[in-house]
Amino acid sequence: MKVSVALCTYNGGQYLNEQLNSILSQTVEVDEVVICDDGSNDKTIEILFSYQEKHPGIFKIYQNETNLGFIKNFEKAIKLCSHEIIIICDQDDIWEKDKVEETIRFFENNSHFDGVFHDLKLIDDDKIHPSYLNWKGISHEEIIREIKNDNLFVVLVQKGSFVLGCALAVKKESLKKYEMEDFPIAHDYYIAQKLASKNTLGFISKPLSSYRLHSNQVYGLRYKSDKKEEKISETQKYFKEYVWSYLQILKRYKEMNPKENEKQTKIYSVFIKNRNSYLMSLGFLEKKIYILKCIRHKYLDLGIADLFKI
């Protein structure tokens, strides 16, 4: 399987050499590195052309005439890739030597998956965190379990997408297969959630690259929130976690798959089950009044018939 690297640059001269060297030092060589520069005015272009001069068969450099911004620049780089596997790459990270080898092995052994993501190390000044996912409070076992249960999409929406673009690889054919052409949101959110909604996003538990935390990042890591949640009743907690959250999941599914009927999905079935469980926890009169209000405001997908069924 041949591998393309989709790399976007913008004033990344400070760390770019280290990233490019790590790409060239792989145990399995990449077949092309597609680079879209978004108007750098530091030494980025000079560095890129020096690598292209040494490796003319690998490096393909595109300089944008106008600044496209983060989302459209990555969209452009990904579309310009020509090989079977596209590995998405940031300008300031460092790849482990076996990143390409492990990625190819995953797709060879798991042909039903259209994409895969891996864990990362975090470089924070002089500190190195061994696992980005554990730092986020997410275990490898949890991810593997959710993928096995076809539930990864739900978790990505509930927890906030924890798949970073620099940890993501995708089959080129899947871009056409799922009509991923005009990216409405950042590539990592879009590709990861699109593939997860189809249950075709896999996971490699090894940290295959190091993600650098620094103040000059164009699009940085989502930090954990220190905000304390207010105290609520068990009934309110159930509604928030199992009813309202599934409304958001259904909404996101529809955004990812606008041509499909979300009511025919497993997600919708779970939502209805959770919604009805919540309604049954209410007192008889309270429940009927609440259902009537929901019907009036077109909320929770309730109709007149539900007054007599629930």
Side-chain angles (χ1 to χ4, degrees):
M1 301 180 81
K2 289 191 173 183
V3 174
S4 298
V5 177
L7 170 61
C8 288
T9 58
Y10 179 72
N11 291 342
Q14 183 177 359
Y15 302 111
L16 189 55
N17 281 296
E18 198 167 7
Q19 172 64 297
L20 295 177
N21 288 339
S22 73
I23 293 172
L24 293 171
S25 301
Q26 292 294 298
T27 54
V28 174
E29 293 183 0
V30 301
D31 297 281
E32 69 173 1
V33 181
V34 175
I35 304 169
C36 291
D37 184 79
D38 210 19
S40 295
N41 52 30
D42 64 350
K43 293 185 178 180
T44 295
I45 295 299
E46 180 183 333
I47 293 170
L48 292 177
F49 280 123
S50 70
Y51 277 85
Q52 187 182 52
E53 186 177 351
K54 295 174 185 175
H55 308 276
I58 296 178
F59 285 87
K60 299 176 181 179
I61 301 170
Y62 300 85
Q63 292 178 265
N64 299 336
E65 293 181 4
T66 59
N67 184 278
L68 298 180
F70 173 82
I71 294 175
K72 289 301 174 184
N73 199 31
F74 261 109
E75 178 185 316
K76 177 181 177 180
I78 290 167
K79 288 180 178 179
L80 286 169
C81 290
S82 56
H83 295 307
E84 295 167 83
I85 299 173
I86 301 171
I87 298 179
I88 300 170
C89 180
D90 285 352
Q91 64 184 359
D92 49 6
D93 300 330
I94 306 170
W95 285 13
E96 297 294 320
K97 289 184 179 296
D98 59 347
K99 178 178 167 91
V100 173
E101 182 180 356
E102 289 285 351
T103 301
I104 292 174
R105 182 182 295 120
F106 175 87
F107 283 118
E108 288 178 341
N109 294 335
N110 302 274
S111 59
H112 58 292
F113 283 109
D114 291 305
V116 67
F117 70 103
H118 59 75
D119 201 354
L120 308 104
K121 298 175 184 176
L122 294 180
I123 302 175
D124 188 0
D125 294 328
D126 58 343
K127 300 176 184 176
I128 296 180
H129 302 278
S131 170
Y132 153 72
L133 289 168
N134 291 167
W135 179 80
K136 291 276 287 185
I138 302 167
S139 71
H140 294 171
E141 293 76 16
E142 178 185 1
I143 294 173
I144 293 168
R145 181 178 67 249
E146 301 299 357
I147 291 174
K148 184 178 180 181
N149 294 333
D150 292 340
N151 203 46
L152 180 62
F153 177 72
V154 170
V155 177
L156 284 174
V157 179
Q158 287 178 328
K159 291 181 177 290
S161 193
F162 47 79
V163 179
L164 299 182
C166 59
L168 189 61
V170 61
K171 289 181 179 175
K172 181 175 176 62
E173 64 181 17
S174 70
L175 299 175
K176 184 176 180 180
K177 179 180 178 181
Y178 298 118
E179 299 180 335
M180 291 187 283
E181 297 176 352
D182 185 15
F183 293 8
I185 52 178
H187 64 286
D188 49 356
Y189 271 83
Y190 186 52
I191 295 174
Q193 293 193 8
K194 184 76 167 184
L195 296 185
S197 76
K198 300 298 182 182
N199 301 315
T200 63
L201 182 64
F203 175 59
I204 298 171
S205 58
K206 291 177 63 175
L208 295 180
S209 59
S210 296
Y211 184 95
R212 197 186 301 273
L213 299 172
H214 60 87
S215 59
N216 294 326
Q217 286 166 311
V218 176
Y219 192 70
L221 187 65
R222 292 89 172 157
Y223 281 91
K224 294 181 290 185
S225 174
D226 294 326
K227 184 180 178 181
K228 294 182 179 179
E229 292 193 1
E230 57 182 308
K231 290 185 178 181
I232 57 177
S233 69
E234 287 300 315
T235 302
Q236 291 172 319
K237 183 178 179 181
Y238 182 90
F239 181 88
K240 181 179 179 181
E241 293 182 1
Y242 298 102
V243 183
W244 186 85
S245 69
Y246 266 83
L247 276 179
Q248 308 314 305
I249 294 163
L250 284 167
K251 179 181 178 182
R252 181 56 60 84
Y253 186 92
K254 188 66 175 178
E255 291 172 353
M256 293 293 110
N257 306 282
K259 296 181 180 180
E260 296 183 22
N261 183 356
E262 70 277 14
K263 292 186 178 182
Q264 295 179 353
T265 65
K266 175 185 173 183
I267 296 169
Y268 182 77
S269 299
V270 174
F271 161 68
I272 293 298
K273 178 182 176 182
N274 293 346
R275 181 202 70 182
N276 291 352
S277 294
Y278 169 73
L279 292 173
M280 291 301 293
S281 71
L282 304 177
F284 179 81
L285 185 59
E286 181 185 12
K287 176 175 64 178
K288 299 302 180 183
I289 293 172
Y290 185 72
I291 291 175
L292 283 170
K293 288 181 178 179
C294 287
I295 294 170
R296 179 184 176 188
H297 295 286
K298 297 180 180 180
Y299 188 54
L300 299 186
D301 201 19
L302 287 162
I304 292 296
D306 294 308
L307 272 171
F308 308 99
K309 290 193 302 184
I310 302 175

